Amino acid sequence: MTFLMVIAMISCSKEDSTEQTAPITQEGGAISGSQIVTVTFDNITLTQFEYQGTIGGIPVNLVQTGEHTLAFYLPNEVLTGAHDLIIPGLSNATVHYDISPTVLTGTADENVVDLFANLNTFAQTLGNDPQAVSAQNAINTLITHYNNASAAEKASIATLYKANKQLFDHLILTDFSDITGRNTVTETKIHINKHVAAIALVGVAALGVAASPVLGCAILAVAGYKAVKANTEALENIYDKTSTIVSGWFSNKNHSSANRTPDIILTDNIAKELTFNIKERKLIASDASKTEPLAVQYFNSISLYNHIVAENNPVIAQTNTEEHTDFDSLPQEALPASNPDVVSPVDDSFMENVQFSVNDPNVSIVTAALSSNGQLNLKLKLNGAPTTLPVRTNLHISYNDGFSSFSGNIPVTVEASLIGTWTLVSFEDGVSLGTYVELFTSPSCPSVATQSYTVLNETLVIGEGTYSFVEQDKYRFYNQSILTSNCSIETDAADTFETYTDTGSGTYVLDGNTFTATSSNDEVTTHTIQFITLNKVKVGDRIYVR
């Protein structure tokens, strides 16, 4: 299997993993002596950094380079033909190989032309940071050593390069620009996959140290540089998300106690714009306890890298002593103990992994969508027959992107909507239509009724910020003469009746339960609104149904 295929499988293997129950037997294809061979077990998550095996009866050490991938070095001219790799620690997993030796064609110098050309190309990308300086030093050390090496050692270096040319060329030249996520491409997933791919390069490079110590140490330094760079970029760009903030309300807080943030009040079936932010922070060491799949994958790759470094730094030191070289040791990867929380506007990538719900039979979500970064367009609808109005409930928000996950509640209040066509059913605090209410209009005798009136009908139409009405009233005039000295009825003629139709329109502002209307001729009146049911409301002293 080529190394490029292994890298592609590393980027997606987490999502494809299933438990292996049957013995493993698979074809490995053709391999060559001096080759660093990778073997991938798609359905097994490896639990050890290293495994012992045999190929053709010869012991080999297999090192983990990914969640499902092992690699081993095959010495040259030891085995030829068909042989099986057997790994007892994986239930005697067996891989069939066809082995041929690696033979140089031409001189050693001719075979390493591409190696040094690629290293030079890579060196042009290096900056002045410590790891870049260390990588440049490794390249210079290799060049100096090779130029002064014996013909036999040059041949050994050339043979290792020829057997692993595709692998080494990729390791030296890749910038991981071809690494993406799987299915849903997120920045977090891309950075993790780049880091995982870089660690795989470190693992296979380390196997070259035993075969050709100086070339192996140089290649390992290049791979180590890329791993540290990938991890630095990951730590700069991956954030652990812990809570949403809707109009100042944190979804991960207990809201039973008093909160100075104003209540979130929505009106039935009317959208409202709310600020929508996310609380997050860069990664810290304690995040290693996270259980989300991407987090496990990331921290496992750090553990694997640190294991490889711990195993190979003594070998690097030994190489420096025996070969009179000056390779630097590789640094361990570590995370800070703390990082500050930051608040950022929610964007489209966050919305791909969030779910909203309301656990209330009288409330349903019509819309919960991002109108722009940091702005949530939320519309809730009242259903059925709520026992009390307004309805106080919770907007449940759950988030899971594979790396961060959380859930929590935001308290919301949903008021009934005035919008619609309303029909009057009573007036004067409970008087039925057609029932007369006496009026006392005499300034001298205010206790004597002089007339009465009733409302025959009224239709009130309320829109978004506008209103209009048509009302028909009937008046009965008593036609009495009142003796003002003692407020007695002096004469009493027959009653007369008049019917009046009144119309009007204007604008209104609803503030809580206060309805302030401004008529078309700029008269301002204020009424108290009280919903009795979703479709029955008291406005001042009048009750309407919708």
Side-chain angles (χ1 to χ4, degrees):
M1 178 178 292
T2 68
F3 186 75
L4 296 179
M5 290 176 62
V6 171
I7 292 295
M9 297 181 73
I10 287 172
S11 68
C12 64
S13 61
K14 186 70 177 180
E15 295 156 313
D16 293 339
S17 178
T18 57
E19 184 178 355
Q20 175 69 29
T21 57
I24 305 167
T25 301
Q26 60 190 50
E27 294 295 328
I31 59 175
S32 303
S34 296
Q35 184 177 345
I36 297 169
V37 183
T38 57
V39 54
T40 298
F41 301 104
D42 292 336
N43 299 322
I44 296 180
T45 298
L46 302 171
T47 59
Q48 300 173 203
F49 290 131
E50 299 183 19
Y51 291 84
Q52 301 304 312
T54 60
I55 183 165
I58 297 174
V60 292
N61 184 48
L62 298 102
V63 299
Q64 185 186 154
T65 58
E67 286 182 296
H68 307 277
T69 307
L70 295 172
F72 66 95
Y73 171 71
L74 179 65
N76 196 27
E77 298 179 347
V78 173
L79 296 172
T80 58
H83 292 280
D84 289 344
L85 170 69
I86 300 173
I87 309 172
L90 290 178
S91 302
N92 286 319
T94 301
V95 185
H96 306 303
Y97 288 108
D98 185 15
I99 303 173
S100 60
T102 296
V103 179
L104 290 180
T105 55
T107 66
D109 289 349
E110 291 171 344
N111 279 272
V112 296
V113 169
D114 288 348
L115 169 64
F116 289 111
N118 290 338
L119 286 171
N120 181 65
T121 299
F122 164 71
Q124 305 308 309
T125 67
L126 295 174
N128 297 318
D129 60 277
Q131 282 307 115
V133 172
S134 180
Q136 182 65 69
N137 174 65
I139 295 171
N140 295 339
T141 299
L142 172 62
I143 293 172
T144 299
H145 183 85
Y146 182 84
N147 288 337
N148 294 299
S150 65
E153 187 169 3
K154 284 185 176 182
S156 175
I157 291 173
T159 300
L160 180 64
Y161 175 64
K162 180 177 181 179
N164 299 282
K165 187 177 190 306
Q166 182 184 26
L167 166 60
F168 284 2
D169 288 350
H170 171 77
L171 184 154
I172 295 166
L173 297 177
T174 184
D175 61 359
F176 304 111
S177 58
D178 57 334
I179 298 292
T180 64
R182 176 90 185 281
N183 300 329
T184 302
V185 179
T186 66
E187 185 177 1
T188 295
K189 186 174 290 188
I190 290 172
H191 283 295
I192 290 174
N193 285 344
K194 285 182 177 181
H195 184 255
V196 169
I199 303 309
L201 295 180
V202 173
V204 295
L207 288 169
V209 176
S212 178
V214 177
L215 175 58
C217 284
I219 295 297
L220 182 58
V222 173
Y225 164 81
K226 297 192 176 190
V228 171
K229 183 180 178 181
N231 193 46
T232 300
E233 292 177 356
L235 293 178
E236 284 297 316
N237 291 281
I238 297 177
Y239 286 78
D240 186 29
K241 298 170 175 60
T242 57
S243 175
T244 52
I245 310 169
V246 182
S247 288
W249 290 84
F250 288 75
S251 62
N252 66 340
K253 288 187 177 180
N254 184 348
H255 300 297
S256 59
S257 58
N259 193 306
R260 289 175 294 180
T261 301
D263 290 349
I264 298 176
I265 300 176
L266 296 97
T267 302
D268 176 30
N269 211 32
I270 296 178
K272 187 170 186 177
E273 291 284 318
L274 304 170
T275 60
F276 194 26
N277 295 312
I278 180 71
K279 187 181 79 168
E280 56 188 359
R281 59 158 171 74
K282 293 181 179 179
L283 301 185
I284 59 177
S286 62
D287 288 331
S289 63
K290 290 171 64 65
T291 59
E292 294 85 354
L294 282 176
V296 171
Q297 185 180 22
Y298 172 71
F299 284 101
N300 282 349
S301 69
I302 286 183
S303 297
L304 177 57
Y305 170 84
N306 287 337
H307 170 78
I308 296 170
V309 167
E311 290 289 309
N312 283 276
N313 274 342
V315 181
I316 293 172
Q318 181 180 351
T319 299
N320 287 334
T321 299
E322 295 178 352
E323 303 292 342
H324 307 291
T325 51
D326 188 29
F327 293 107
D328 296 320
S329 60
L330 298 178
Q332 294 273 327
E333 289 186 350
L335 277 72
S338 64
N339 266 318
D341 288 329
V342 295
V343 174
S344 308
V346 166
D347 59 15
D348 288 335
S349 64
F350 179 89
M351 294 297 288
E352 292 176 357
N353 301 293
V354 70
Q355 291 185 331
F356 301 90
S357 61
V358 176
N359 187 23
D360 190 313
N362 297 126
V363 180
S364 59
I365 298 175
V366 178
T367 304
L370 208 63
S371 57
S372 61
N373 284 355
Q375 291 293 316
L376 178 66
N377 183 276
L378 183 63
K379 182 192 288 189
L380 303 183
K381 180 172 174 35
L382 294 175
N383 308 307
T387 56
T388 58
L389 288 170
V391 175
R392 291 176 173 83
T393 187
N394 288 309
L395 177 67
H396 185 74
I397 302 176
S398 59
Y399 179 83
N400 191 336
D401 64 7
F403 190 91
S404 301
S405 62
F406 62 85
S407 63
N409 294 316
I410 301 291
V412 294
T413 298
V414 187
E415 298 178 333
S417 172
L418 278 175
I419 293 176
T421 300
W422 297 89
T423 301
L424 184 69
V425 294
S426 69
F427 65 104
E428 295 280 0
D429 286 322
V431 178
S432 301
L433 300 186
T435 300
Y436 283 91
V437 176
E438 292 189 322
L439 301 174
F440 303 85
T441 62
S442 171
S444 300
C445 296
S447 61
V448 178
T450 58
Q451 57 187 8
S452 60
Y453 89 103
T454 187
V455 179
L456 299 178
N457 56 73
E458 180 193 0
T459 300
L460 175 63
V461 179
I462 297 181
E464 292 190 12
T466 64
Y467 74 92
S468 64
F469 70 90
V470 178
E471 178 178 344
Q472 190 175 49
D473 300 334
K474 189 172 185 178
Y475 282 79
R476 180 172 66 183
F477 299 96
Y478 294 156
N479 297 318
Q480 297 169 334
S481 176
I482 302 173
L483 186 61
T484 58
S485 60
N486 59 7
C487 293
S488 61
I489 305 301
E490 190 172 25
T491 62
D492 187 2
D495 294 347
T496 57
F497 295 86
E498 293 285 346
T499 300
Y500 300 93
T501 299
D502 188 17
T503 62
S505 63
T507 60
Y508 72 90
V509 174
L510 184 61
D511 182 10
N513 63 348
T514 301
F515 183 91
T516 302
T518 302
S519 68
S520 56
N521 58 1
D522 294 330
E523 291 182 1
V524 179
T525 56
T526 300
H527 303 282
T528 299
I529 300 290
Q530 178 188 353
F531 273 92
I532 301 169
T533 68
L534 281 179
N535 295 303
K536 189 173 186 179
V537 65
K538 185 175 183 182
V539 182
D541 62 4
R542 297 188 168 199
I543 294 179
Y544 298 83
V545 295
R546 178 165 48 188

